[in-house]
């Protein structure tokens, strides 16, 4: 763990991290009605709820951002629907002027089990982009149970059915555990639910979920190869990870490398129920560490987000993460595409933020690229861009 000077850190921060947030994660409640075995949330059994004072403070901060800047406000619990539609509407009210002006848009990540007509009304009324977590057909979804241990699968599918009935567009995110050997089954099932896009998260070590086994790189590569093969047969279905890689290749191929490289990491403020803010990774909220403390960058009720972000380079975990990004750029053949992944994974897997490789980046970035390029050695993306371009 390094200790750079404040000036060095400020310069590095400005180089790597965007000055304004494009995504703010809000945790309206700590409570979740499910008890998925891989969940990383430490307080998911407790009902602590956000107040309008907190969301008013966030809205005031976003109003200070440049007028042309659009911020996604992502409601992500706990289970955000556990708070009830009236309470969430009250929490959203302070953002209405910004939303109507096109400066804020809402998204929400849910397990779908509580979706009913009032929720559908809210999604439509506030133009919420809904993301649903489901891990596949019933047997692949077996780790998702309620607090009594009952499978949640039927309730998730019923909730999704209500979205379909009301013609509310939604995306799906699946945590890929046992499904890593069944890519086609998984994608057939998810596509049948009618989403606008599918995200595939190979299971990670995060938060309090630190005891799970991780897939070997070869299994991850075989999974991505199967996803590519499936995708070639289903060209109308958007798979998020493949789209990101295709976007990278199109950008480079189009001679826009400069714009790709100019892209900076979002500071990704996550606001807890009481207004406390952590940066870079929502998974750090509510975590305590002997060295890093509680990862808090400030509290939006007592200081605006702009001031919190302006001082962020002084936080040891933030400045270490910048060192980690620089180390990725120096050492990793996949940096060109990856741009240095996830602070949370570095911490939870490696115990520090200035480390580089994680199981997450190996499985979800490196093996994704190798699968597309048909690479079976470690020559990496820089030397393989041409073959990837040919493959797409
Ligand atoms: S693949 Fe891993 S080591 Fe390489 S740039 Fe991304 S995060 Fe860093």
């Amino acid at each position: 763990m390094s200790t750079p000077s404040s000036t060095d850190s400020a310069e590095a921060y400005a180089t790597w991290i965007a000055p304004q947030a494009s995504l703010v994660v809000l945790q309206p409640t700590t409570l979740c009605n499910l008890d998925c075995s891989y969940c990383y949330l430490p307080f998911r059994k407790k009902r602590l709820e956000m107040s309008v004072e907190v969301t008013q403070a966030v809205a005031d901060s976003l109003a200070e951002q440049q007028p042309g800047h659009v911020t996604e406000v992502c409601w992500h619990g706990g289970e955000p629907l556990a708070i009830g539609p009236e309470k969430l509407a009250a929490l959203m009210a302070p953002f209405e002027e910004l939303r109507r002006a096109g400066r804020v848009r809402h998204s929400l990540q849910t397990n779908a089990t509580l979706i009913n007509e009032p929720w559908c009304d809210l999604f439509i009324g506030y133009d919420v982009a809904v993301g649903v977590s489901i891990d596949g057909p019933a047997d692949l979804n077996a780790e998702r149970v309620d607090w009594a241990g009952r499978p949640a699968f039927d309730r998730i599918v019923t909730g999704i059915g209500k979205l379909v009935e009301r013609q509310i567009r939604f995306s799906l995110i699946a945590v890929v555990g046992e499904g890593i050997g069944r890519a086609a089954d998984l994608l057939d099932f998810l596509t049948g639910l009618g989403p606008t896009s599918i995200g595939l998260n190979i299971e990670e070590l995060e938060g309090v979920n630190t005891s799970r086994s991780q897939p070997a790189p070869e299994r991850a590569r075989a999974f991505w190869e199967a996803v590519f093969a499936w995708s070639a047969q289903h060209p109308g279905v958007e798979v998020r990870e493949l789209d990101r890689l295709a976007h990278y290749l199109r950008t480079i191929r189009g001679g826009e490398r400069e714009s790709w490289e100019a892209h900076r990491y979002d500071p990704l403020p996550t606001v807890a129920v009481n207004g406390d803010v952590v940066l870079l990774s929502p998974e750090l909220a509510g975590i305590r560490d002997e060295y890093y403390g509680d990862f808090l960058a400030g509290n939006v009720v007592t200081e605006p987000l702009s001031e919190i972000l302006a001082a962020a380079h002084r936080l040891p975990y933030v400045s270490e993460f910048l060192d980690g990004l620089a180390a990725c750029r120096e050492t990793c053949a996949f940096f060109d595409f990856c741009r240095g992944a996830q602070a949370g994974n570095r911490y939870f897997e490696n115990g520090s933020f200035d480390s580089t490789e994680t199981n997450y980046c190996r499985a979800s970035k490196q093996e994704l690229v190798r699968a597309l390029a048909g690479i079976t050695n470690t020559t990496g993306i820089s030397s393989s861009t041409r073959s990837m371009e040919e493959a797409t």
Side-chain angles (χ1 to χ4, degrees), residues 328 332 334-335 338 340-341 346 356-357 361 365-366:
C328 279
C332 180
F334 298 85
F335 178 81
C338 172
R346 291 174 200 244
T356 55
E357 280 197 353
C361 78
K365 303 282 187 171
Q366 299 182 6

Side-chain angles (χ1 to χ4, degrees), residues 29 43 61 99-100 143 159 164 200 268 287 299 352 361 372 383 392:
T29 175
F43 302 122
S61 287
R99 186 182 75 81
R100 288 170 198 266
E143 304 206 51
V164 173
L200 300 168
L268 196 50
I287 299 289
N299 185 297
S352 68
C361 78
L372 177 59
S383 60
T392 54

Side-chain angles (χ1 to χ4, degrees), residues 322-344:
L322 304 177
D323 292 342
L325 292 177
C328 279
R329 183 176 57 192
E330 292 306 311
T331 61
C332 180
F334 298 85
F335 178 81
D336 206 30
F337 161 60
C338 172
R339 313 297 297 169
Q342 311 302 1

Side-chain angles (χ1 to χ4, degrees), residues 121-356:
D121 293 340
L122 180 142
F123 298 152
I124 293 168
Y126 291 84
D127 195 19
V128 180
V130 180
V132 175
S133 312
I134 181 168
D135 297 345
D139 62 321
L140 293 183
N141 215 68
E143 304 206 51
R144 309 202 62 204
V145 294
D146 63 19
W147 288 98
R150 292 173 303 213
F153 177 77
D154 289 347
R155 282 170 277 173
I156 296 172
V157 172
T158 300
I160 291 172
K162 293 201 183 310
L163 296 176
V164 173
E165 269 170 41
R166 295 288 300 273
Q167 300 184 326
I168 296 168
R169 289 158 59 83
F170 61 94
S171 57
L172 294 177
I173 293 181
V175 172
V176 181
E178 292 299 313
I180 199 160
R182 291 170 49 190
D185 272 3
L186 175 62
L187 286 162
D188 284 342
F189 172 79
L190 296 175
T191 302
L193 296 171
T196 53
S197 74
I198 296 169
L200 300 168
N201 289 348
I202 294 180
E203 194 174 346
E204 306 163 30
L205 296 183
E206 289 177 323
V208 295
N209 168 27
T210 53
S211 59
R212 312 272 305 190
S213 63
Q214 302 284 289
E218 298 72 27
R219 284 205 88 195
R221 191 182 320 161
F223 172 74
W224 291 120
E225 283 168 356
V227 173
F228 279 116
W230 183 93
S231 185
Q233 303 295 318
H234 302 79
V237 182
E238 185 181 322
V239 179
R240 182 187 59 185
E241 288 70 23
L242 272 50
D243 268 36
R244 283 182 185 158
L245 184 50
H247 174 61
Y248 162 72
L249 292 172
R250 272 196 307 273
T251 307
I252 300 301
R253 186 186 295 164
E256 295 174 49
R257 174 173 288 282
E258 233 171 79
S259 78
W260 178 265
E261 291 181 349
H263 183 77
R264 282 182 283 177
Y265 216 90
D266 199 283
L268 196 50
T270 294
V271 183
V273 287
N274 64 352
D276 281 348
V277 177
V278 300
L279 300 175
L280 303 178
S281 172
E283 291 82 16
L284 297 175
I287 299 289
R288 209 180 149 70
D289 176 280
E290 212 171 290
Y291 175 74
Y292 297 106
D294 49 18
F295 299 98
L296 290 189
N299 185 297
V300 280
V301 178
T302 54
E303 58 185 322
L305 207 44
S306 56
E307 286 179 20
I308 293 173
L309 295 182
H313 64 275
R314 298 199 187 100
L315 290 165
Y317 76 94
V318 173
S319 67
E320 279 183 28
F321 179 61
L322 304 177
D323 292 342
L325 292 177
C328 279
R329 183 176 57 192
E330 292 306 311
T331 61
C332 180
F334 298 85
F335 178 81
D336 206 30
F337 161 60
C338 172
R339 313 297 297 169
Q342 311 302 1
N345 295 92
R346 291 174 200 244
Y347 170 69
F348 291 114
E349 288 192 30
N350 301 336
S352 68
F353 292 86
D354 50 9
S355 57
T356 55

Side-chain angles (χ1 to χ4, degrees), residues 12-75:
Y13 187 90
T15 301
W16 289 104
I17 312 286
Q20 301 185 100
S22 295
L23 174 61
V24 177
V25 177
L26 299 189
Q27 300 184 317
T29 175
T30 52
L31 183 69
C32 185
N33 59 324
L34 298 188
D35 183 28
C36 305
S37 56
Y38 51 70
C39 184
Y40 64 81
L41 294 167
F43 302 122
R44 62 189 192 274
K45 206 171 183 178
K46 276 193 195 160
R47 183 186 287 276
L48 302 173
E49 295 185 350
M50 189 171 265
S51 66
V52 174
E53 183 191 22
V54 171
T55 55
Q56 183 65 60
V58 176
D60 291 345
S61 287
L62 297 187
E64 283 180 6
Q65 303 215 92
Q66 284 169 5
H69 189 80
V70 182
T71 308
E72 177 179 341
V73 171
C74 177
W75 302 87

